Amino acid sequence: MSKAESYTATAKWLHWGMALIWVAAWFVGIVAVHWRDELNPQHQLTFVHKAMASVLLLLIVLRVGWRLTHAAPAMPATMSPLMQRGAFVGHLLLYGVALVGLPMSGWYWSSVADKPILLAGLLLLPPLVEPDQSLYDLAKAIHTYTAWLCGVLVGGHALVALKHHFIDKDNVLAGMLPGRGD
Ligand code: HEM
Ligand code: HEM
């Protein structure tokens, strides 16, 4: 497969590395909230959730920089212009909402709640805004609803990728898998 038909090795590392962190952070977030008494009595899982998820804020800067300087492979000609536009908008939503908006909303929530975020468990992030308990419920609702919306978005994204591979039998998934065209 020629380079033009595949993402670069760096783009693949960033995609799969961030996908792994994202999916793990999503599940840890759910468990931290909904099994609080059983599994998160000392807020250890909340700490892990914030430590992992905040790394996405660093990686997204690298990823967008790389993406702007390295073109994605062309979409298959078998995709209609409408589907190609849909895929483009879907990717924009993944970048803007799942990879930037959601971590930022978590950062905002922790800032209004006056709670620390240790990036990778090591580096204290400065607060985005002044603490303000009157905004707590709003910030919590924004993060929670956005997280669930993104769960649907990412789940749909993975299903569409599998559909390309197993039903349409095109090169969309192959172009993001390791070892092709690197
Ligand atoms: C700097 C980044 C982030 C911070 C500071 C943050 C903070 C938090 C906090 C404090 C909670 C509540 C945990 C608890 O009450 O024990 C939470 C819940 C949650 N977070 Fe995040 N988060 C961040 C990024 C993310 C990302 C990237 C995702 C998705 C991968 C995510 C998904 C969730 C989910 C699904 C919940 C549970 C929502 C619910 O059902 O109530 N968060 N987050
Ligand atoms: C979990 C299984 C996943 C699978 C099977 C998957 C598969 C793929 C594939 C095949 C592409 C290339 C699409 C194309 O060329 O049109 C892609 C691109 C992309 N994926 Fe995923 N992905 C997964 C998870 C994620 C997650 C968790 C995120 C972020 C939260 C994500 C964000 C993106 C973005 C933003 C692109 C667009 C890349 C670009 O062209 O700049 N993916 N994914």
Side-chain angles (χ1 to χ4, degrees):
M1 188 183 286
S2 78
K3 203 149 199 155
E5 288 170 335
S6 175
Y7 283 91
T8 61
T10 306
K12 292 174 187 176
W13 272 105
L14 286 166
H15 174 271
W16 292 112
M18 291 177 81
L20 194 70
I21 296 172
W22 198 97
V23 172
W26 195 83
F27 281 108
V28 173
I30 300 283
V31 173
V33 172
H34 300 278
W35 284 267
R36 183 179 309 290
D37 294 343
E38 300 86 337
L39 298 172
N40 193 21
Q42 313 291 333
H43 295 188
Q44 322 86 310
L45 290 182
T46 310
F47 175 85
V48 170
H49 173 71
K50 298 198 283 184
M52 293 174 84
S54 53
V55 173
L56 294 170
L57 289 165
L58 270 189
L59 293 177
I60 191 62
V61 177
L62 287 179
R63 178 146 173 204
V64 169
W66 188 264
R67 180 64 174 80
L68 292 175
T69 48
H70 299 78
M75 292 184 204
T78 45
M79 279 172 77
S80 68
L82 187 69
M83 292 305 278
Q84 296 204 11
R85 193 168 292 239
F88 178 75
V89 172
H91 292 165
L92 273 188
L93 286 175
L94 285 167
Y95 278 118
V97 185
L99 292 173
V100 176
L102 186 56
M104 292 294 292
S105 74
W107 191 356
Y108 176 73
W109 180 14
S110 288
S111 303
V112 302
D114 202 14
K115 294 275 168 50
I117 304 171
L118 284 172
L119 192 142
L122 298 168
L123 188 77
L124 189 66
L125 284 186
L128 266 185
V129 292
E130 292 292 311
D132 184 346
Q133 288 300 329
S134 70
L135 291 171
Y136 183 92
D137 288 342
L138 175 70
K140 176 179 176 175
I142 294 174
H143 189 62
T144 304
Y145 285 114
T146 312
W148 282 98
L149 174 79
C150 288
V152 174
L153 198 66
V154 167
H157 170 67
L159 285 178
V160 169
L162 293 176
K163 174 191 175 280
H164 275 285
H165 194 70
F166 291 108
I167 297 178
D168 304 334
K169 299 189 194 304
D170 58 27
N171 278 334
V172 167
L173 180 58
M176 191 49 105
L177 292 179
R180 311 245 191 151
D182 294 348

PDB file of all heavy atoms in Angstrom, residues 115-129:
ATOM      1  N   LYS A 115     -10.600  21.534  43.095  1.00  0.00           N
ATOM      2  CA  LYS A 115      -9.947  20.220  43.260  1.00  0.00           C
ATOM      3  C   LYS A 115      -8.735  20.152  42.319  1.00  0.00           C
ATOM      4  O   LYS A 115      -8.807  20.638  41.188  1.00  0.00           O
ATOM      5  CB  LYS A 115     -10.923  19.092  42.917  1.00  0.00           C
ATOM      6  CG  LYS A 115     -12.101  18.977  43.872  1.00  0.00           C
ATOM      7  CD  LYS A 115     -11.706  18.151  45.067  1.00  0.00           C
ATOM      8  CE  LYS A 115     -12.672  18.196  46.222  1.00  0.00           C
ATOM      9  NZ  LYS A 115     -14.066  17.947  45.898  1.00  0.00           N
ATOM     10  N   PRO A 116      -7.645  19.540  42.780  1.00  0.00           N
ATOM     11  CA  PRO A 116      -6.443  19.498  41.936  1.00  0.00           C
ATOM     12  C   PRO A 116      -6.553  18.486  40.796  1.00  0.00           C
ATOM     13  O   PRO A 116      -7.272  17.495  40.901  1.00  0.00           O
ATOM     14  CB  PRO A 116      -5.354  19.047  42.921  1.00  0.00           C
ATOM     15  CG  PRO A 116      -6.086  18.242  43.947  1.00  0.00           C
ATOM     16  CD  PRO A 116      -7.461  18.832  44.060  1.00  0.00           C
ATOM     17  N   ILE A 117      -5.830  18.739  39.698  1.00  0.00           N
ATOM     18  CA  ILE A 117      -5.645  17.739  38.639  1.00  0.00           C
ATOM     19  C   ILE A 117      -4.144  17.553  38.489  1.00  0.00           C
ATOM     20  O   ILE A 117      -3.418  18.506  38.210  1.00  0.00           O
ATOM     21  CB  ILE A 117      -6.193  18.226  37.279  1.00  0.00           C
ATOM     22  CG1 ILE A 117      -7.660  18.615  37.384  1.00  0.00           C
ATOM     23  CG2 ILE A 117      -6.001  17.145  36.215  1.00  0.00           C
ATOM     24  CD1 ILE A 117      -8.182  19.298  36.140  1.00  0.00           C
ATOM     25  N   LEU A 118      -3.693  16.304  38.698  1.00  0.00           N
ATOM     26  CA  LEU A 118      -2.272  16.005  38.490  1.00  0.00           C
ATOM     27  C   LEU A 118      -2.114  15.342  37.135  1.00  0.00           C
ATOM     28  O   LEU A 118      -2.535  14.189  36.950  1.00  0.00           O
ATOM     29  CB  LEU A 118      -1.751  15.096  39.601  1.00  0.00           C
ATOM     30  CG  LEU A 118      -1.493  15.792  40.941  1.00  0.00           C
ATOM     31  CD1 LEU A 118      -1.182  14.770  42.016  1.00  0.00           C
ATOM     32  CD2 LEU A 118      -0.352  16.783  40.818  1.00  0.00           C
ATOM     33  N   LEU A 119      -1.535  16.067  36.192  1.00  0.00           N
ATOM     34  CA  LEU A 119      -1.324  15.537  34.840  1.00  0.00           C
ATOM     35  C   LEU A 119      -0.407  14.321  34.938  1.00  0.00           C
ATOM     36  O   LEU A 119       0.679  14.419  35.535  1.00  0.00           O
ATOM     37  CB  LEU A 119      -0.702  16.632  33.970  1.00  0.00           C
ATOM     38  CG  LEU A 119      -0.662  16.372  32.474  1.00  0.00           C
ATOM     39  CD1 LEU A 119      -0.945  17.668  31.725  1.00  0.00           C
ATOM     40  CD2 LEU A 119       0.656  15.814  32.033  1.00  0.00           C
ATOM     41  N   ALA A 120      -0.856  13.191  34.420  1.00  0.00           N
ATOM     42  CA  ALA A 120      -0.137  11.920  34.516  1.00  0.00           C
ATOM     43  C   ALA A 120       0.175  11.568  35.982  1.00  0.00           C
ATOM     44  O   ALA A 120       1.090  10.800  36.255  1.00  0.00           O
ATOM     45  CB  ALA A 120       1.146  11.942  33.682  1.00  0.00           C
ATOM     46  N   GLY A 121      -0.550  12.135  36.908  1.00  0.00           N
ATOM     47  CA  GLY A 121      -0.316  11.871  38.323  1.00  0.00           C
ATOM     48  C   GLY A 121       0.891  12.614  38.879  1.00  0.00           C
ATOM     49  O   GLY A 121       1.292  12.394  40.022  1.00  0.00           O
ATOM     50  N   LEU A 122       1.491  13.524  38.077  1.00  0.00           N
ATOM     51  CA  LEU A 122       2.759  14.141  38.457  1.00  0.00           C
ATOM     52  C   LEU A 122       2.740  15.665  38.526  1.00  0.00           C
ATOM     53  O   LEU A 122       3.292  16.265  39.440  1.00  0.00           O
ATOM     54  CB  LEU A 122       3.853  13.747  37.437  1.00  0.00           C
ATOM     55  CG  LEU A 122       4.178  12.267  37.323  1.00  0.00           C
ATOM     56  CD1 LEU A 122       5.046  12.012  36.103  1.00  0.00           C
ATOM     57  CD2 LEU A 122       4.884  11.799  38.590  1.00  0.00           C
ATOM     58  N   LEU A 123       2.117  16.290  37.538  1.00  0.00           N
ATOM     59  CA  LEU A 123       2.255  17.734  37.366  1.00  0.00           C
ATOM     60  C   LEU A 123       0.923  18.432  37.620  1.00  0.00           C
ATOM     61  O   LEU A 123      -0.074  18.107  36.967  1.00  0.00           O
ATOM     62  CB  LEU A 123       2.713  17.996  35.917  1.00  0.00           C
ATOM     63  CG  LEU A 123       3.110  19.401  35.569  1.00  0.00           C
ATOM     64  CD1 LEU A 123       4.501  19.691  36.129  1.00  0.00           C
ATOM     65  CD2 LEU A 123       3.124  19.572  34.042  1.00  0.00           C
ATOM     66  N   LEU A 124       0.926  19.354  38.565  1.00  0.00           N
ATOM     67  CA  LEU A 124      -0.323  20.036  38.921  1.00  0.00           C
ATOM     68  C   LEU A 124      -0.735  21.026  37.832  1.00  0.00           C
ATOM     69  O   LEU A 124       0.037  21.920  37.474  1.00  0.00           O
ATOM     70  CB  LEU A 124      -0.105  20.777  40.239  1.00  0.00           C
ATOM     71  CG  LEU A 124      -1.351  21.376  40.899  1.00  0.00           C
ATOM     72  CD1 LEU A 124      -2.314  20.285  41.352  1.00  0.00           C
ATOM     73  CD2 LEU A 124      -0.935  22.242  42.093  1.00  0.00           C
ATOM     74  N   LEU A 125      -1.956  20.842  37.298  1.00  0.00           N
ATOM     75  CA  LEU A 125      -2.447  21.792  36.290  1.00  0.00           C
ATOM     76  C   LEU A 125      -2.974  23.032  36.992  1.00  0.00           C
ATOM     77  O   LEU A 125      -3.658  22.918  38.013  1.00  0.00           O
ATOM     78  CB  LEU A 125      -3.598  21.184  35.484  1.00  0.00           C
ATOM     79  CG  LEU A 125      -3.287  20.152  34.418  1.00  0.00           C
ATOM     80  CD1 LEU A 125      -4.562  19.804  33.649  1.00  0.00           C
ATOM     81  CD2 LEU A 125      -2.230  20.652  33.460  1.00  0.00           C
ATOM     82  N   PRO A 126      -2.707  24.223  36.469  1.00  0.00           N
ATOM     83  CA  PRO A 126      -3.290  25.431  37.086  1.00  0.00           C
ATOM     84  C   PRO A 126      -4.799  25.444  36.865  1.00  0.00           C
ATOM     85  O   PRO A 126      -5.274  24.893  35.873  1.00  0.00           O
ATOM     86  CB  PRO A 126      -2.622  26.569  36.303  1.00  0.00           C
ATOM     87  CG  PRO A 126      -2.194  25.965  35.013  1.00  0.00           C
ATOM     88  CD  PRO A 126      -1.929  24.508  35.275  1.00  0.00           C
ATOM     89  N   PRO A 127      -5.576  26.058  37.771  1.00  0.00           N
ATOM     90  CA  PRO A 127      -7.025  26.110  37.552  1.00  0.00           C
ATOM     91  C   PRO A 127      -7.362  26.942  36.320  1.00  0.00           C
ATOM     92  O   PRO A 127      -6.680  27.930  36.033  1.00  0.00           O
ATOM     93  CB  PRO A 127      -7.556  26.770  38.828  1.00  0.00           C
ATOM     94  CG  PRO A 127      -6.385  27.391  39.489  1.00  0.00           C
ATOM     95  CD  PRO A 127      -5.155  26.699  39.008  1.00  0.00           C
ATOM     96  N   LEU A 128      -8.418  26.516  35.604  1.00  0.00           N
ATOM     97  CA  LEU A 128      -8.853  27.269  34.413  1.00  0.00           C
ATOM     98  C   LEU A 128      -9.575  28.534  34.810  1.00  0.00           C
ATOM     99  O   LEU A 128      -9.501  29.545  34.111  1.00  0.00           O
ATOM    100  CB  LEU A 128      -9.852  26.415  33.620  1.00  0.00           C
ATOM    101  CG  LEU A 128      -9.380  25.540  32.489  1.00  0.00           C
ATOM    102  CD1 LEU A 128     -10.597  24.918  31.803  1.00  0.00           C
ATOM    103  CD2 LEU A 128      -8.559  26.324  31.487  1.00  0.00           C
ATOM    104  N   VAL A 129     -10.359  28.452  35.918  1.00  0.00           N
ATOM    105  CA  VAL A 129     -11.143  29.593  36.420  1.00  0.00           C
ATOM    106  C   VAL A 129     -11.050  29.594  37.945  1.00  0.00           C
ATOM    107  O   VAL A 129     -10.600  28.625  38.552  1.00  0.00           O
ATOM    108  CB  VAL A 129     -12.637  29.490  36.007  1.00  0.00           C
ATOM    109  CG1 VAL A 129     -12.812  29.650  34.506  1.00  0.00           C
ATOM    110  CG2 VAL A 129     -13.243  28.169  36.474  1.00  0.00           C
TER     111      VAL A 129
END
